[in-house]
Amino acid sequence: MMKMRYKWLTLWRKFFALNGDYKAYCEAKGAGDNAKCVELESKFERIAELYDDWGDIHVKPESWSNGFPVYPKSHKSPAR
């Protein structure tokens, strides 16, 4: 089961990385460009939630564990 989950998450992350609007949002968050963030949030209602869950998926791979971001202990998983 974990192997299948890993494959799905890997595919999702690769697909997600191709989204130019999400990349622009990550860049805006990193640069502290609140105006750009607000603009993208008004265009895509859940982009801030996705960022809260995934963070900047365009960061350098050495800050990731097994291809996925290392979340701080305070990261909360979505309710099931």
Side-chain angles (χ1 to χ4, degrees):
M1 182 71 170
M2 288 300 290
K3 197 175 210 179
M4 180 64 79
R5 182 178 180 193
Y6 178 80
K7 285 182 181 184
W8 278 110
L9 286 172
T10 300
L11 287 172
W12 170 249
R13 192 195 66 76
K14 286 180 181 181
F15 172 77
F16 200 28
L18 296 173
N19 186 297
D21 293 313
Y22 190 75
K23 184 174 183 176
Y25 190 79
C26 291
E27 290 170 353
K29 288 293 260 187
D33 186 347
N34 291 332
K36 184 67 173 180
C37 290
V38 169
E39 174 191 335
L40 289 165
E41 288 167 3
S42 68
K43 191 173 177 184
F44 306 101
E45 70 179 61
R46 297 189 69 193
I47 199 166
E49 291 176 45
L50 290 170
Y51 188 85
D52 287 344
D53 288 339
W54 289 86
D56 186 348
I57 61 172
H58 304 284
V59 294
K60 293 181 180 180
E62 56 266 13
S63 66
W64 289 33
S65 172
N66 298 322
F68 296 98
V70 177
Y71 291 114
K73 291 181 181 180
S74 63
H75 179 76
K76 296 179 182 177
S77 298
R80 295 189 178 156

